[in-house]
Amino acid sequence: MPRTTIVQFPGSNRDRDMIAAIAKISGISPTLAWHTDTSLPDSDLIIIPGGFSHGDYLRSGAIAARAPVMKAIAAAAGGVRILGVCNGFQTLTEAGLLPGALMRNARLTFVCKEVKLQVANATNAFTAGYRDGEVIRCPVAHHDGNYFADQKTLKSIEDNNQVAFRYAEGTNPNGSINDIAGIFNEQGNVLGMMPHPENLIEPAHGGQDGRRLFEGALNMLETESA
Amino acid sequence: MSMNTYSAQVRVTLKRGVLDPQGKAIEGALDSLGFEGVNQVRQGKTFDIKLDANSKKEAEVSLTAMCEKLLANTVIEDYAVFVE
């Protein structure tokens, strides 16, 4: 059974959705970790969920990125799969575990709606359940999702195929450069994304396009298709 | 050496070339209030910090480390440190 750890910060609010999604998909409840923890249990997948950590004071994810638990996450990032969604993505960039930064949405408003995502690289475990170029549905809910990286960083991200998802068909909701919705680290075991795949994993959600991301991350795709 | 208390100001601004939609919105609001001739507004942050240090130089070194580690996100922001 795949072991998942979900890290909670003061102000995490999508953690419950993530716990429910993981329990449903993997068949086993995730272990929960608190931001003050200095070590994490052995895990196949570590998730930083969405919300507003520490009130998002200073910059979104900035305080969370300096929390004690991030040292354990940085150590795990050497090999363990790590997923940051929304505030988790902001936290991973603030911690330097992913390149670039997430700035205020270009239109300055909080966006809460469904967008279309194009799978930009399906060769990674996280995206192995999708086809390259496939367009999927996914909800977004954020104020600071405007991905930015300087030209040199952007070039290296693109050259290394580190873009996981792009906003498709003119649905870029926040002004992100190159329509970037989610990126991998160089090694490919850390994924950060603004959209919320955990909110589209069962028919009751109105669709399950997000489900394959977790099945891929948890090496559950074979059993799924068998 | 005795410790002195220094008053410092740290200014954090967006790097040149980084779009500032908030600054743009403020620019538009100034225009609609009738302020003419405003060509550009860039929004930033200031931090007023009181700190104990052995010297002004030591205070500056410490504040610079604070900027690098927390106060600024150097991917998108520049910072300047002023110690009185």
Side-chain angles (χ1 to χ4, degrees):
Chain A
M1 287 278 218
R3 301 152 303 169
T4 306
T5 299
I6 294 178
V7 185
Q8 297 171 302
F9 292 87
S12 296
N13 61 21
R14 296 299 188 107
D15 47 342
R16 295 284 148 188
D17 295 14
M18 197 62 87
I19 292 164
I22 292 298
K24 193 138 214 161
I25 294 166
S26 72
I28 177 170
S29 288
T31 306
L32 303 181
W34 187 231
H35 68 114
T36 52
D37 291 352
T38 50
S39 66
L40 293 170
D42 282 342
S43 313
D44 301 296
L45 175 65
I46 298 169
I47 302 178
I48 309 179
F52 300 88
S53 54
H54 299 272
D56 278 349
Y57 298 141
L58 189 61
R59 298 176 302 273
S60 292
I63 310 287
R66 278 82 182 169
V69 75
M70 292 307 294
K71 282 206 177 106
I73 292 180
V80 178
R81 284 179 198 144
I82 296 171
L83 170 66
V85 170
C86 201
N87 196 236
F89 184 14
Q90 294 160 344
T91 302
L92 289 172
T93 59
E94 277 283 344
L97 293 173
L98 288 172
L102 290 143
M103 304 184 57
R104 183 52 41 103
N105 293 345
R107 277 183 228 124
L108 301 174
T109 53
F110 190 98
V111 291
C112 183
K113 61 178 182 183
E114 185 177 297
V115 296
K116 290 192 165 67
L117 298 180
Q118 184 160 43
V119 180
N121 174 359
T123 63
N124 187 286
F126 280 108
T127 48
Y130 304 103
R131 293 184 314 277
D132 253 325
E134 181 178 352
V135 174
I136 63 169
R137 296 163 51 206
C138 204
V140 294
H142 59 250
H143 207 168
D144 294 322
N146 184 353
Y147 185 77
F148 175 85
D150 61 43
Q151 284 305 314
K152 190 172 156 235
T153 308
L154 192 63
K155 187 178 183 310
S156 88
I157 290 169
E158 294 284 1
D159 289 352
N160 296 332
N161 284 321
Q162 285 173 248
V163 179
F165 298 103
R166 291 183 211 275
Y167 300 107
E169 300 171 16
T171 63
N172 185 339
N174 52 36
S176 285
I177 199 159
N178 289 15
D179 294 326
I180 288 172
I183 53 165
F184 301 117
N185 66 343
E186 213 175 323
Q187 204 182 320
N189 64 312
V190 179
L191 169 63
M193 60 191 294
M194 289 312 298
H196 289 274
E198 75 277 17
N199 290 145
L200 209 64
I201 60 121
E202 57 183 318
H205 287 158
Q208 33 192 348
D209 282 359
R211 192 180 180 100
R212 282 172 283 164
L213 185 139
F214 297 99
E215 290 169 344
L218 295 168
N219 291 333
M220 298 182 72
L221 284 166
E222 280 90 354
T223 49
E224 183 67 20
S225 58
Chain B
M1 225 196 283
S2 66
M3 295 280 258
N4 294 316
T5 299
Y6 294 92
S7 291
Q9 191 169 74
V10 171
R11 193 183 299 160
V12 175
T13 50
L14 285 173
K15 282 184 197 280
R16 198 173 296 175
V18 174
L19 288 176
D20 179 11
Q22 292 172 108
K24 275 271 171 232
I26 294 163
E27 199 182 307
L30 288 173
D31 184 62
S32 54
L33 284 170
F35 290 101
E36 288 172 14
V38 178
N39 292 319
Q40 192 185 42
V41 177
R42 303 277 285 168
Q43 183 180 280
K45 295 180 188 126
T46 62
F47 302 87
D48 293 313
I49 298 176
K50 291 196 193 310
L51 76 165
D52 295 334
N54 286 315
S55 66
K56 187 177 169 185
K57 181 76 199 154
E58 191 186 284
E60 284 169 353
V61 168
S62 175
L63 288 157
T64 300
M66 292 178 205
C67 288
E68 288 286 335
K69 287 193 170 163
L70 178 64
L71 298 179
N73 178 344
T74 55
V75 172
I76 48 171
E77 294 170 327
D78 287 326
Y79 60 84
V81 168
F82 307 91
V83 182
E84 274 176 27

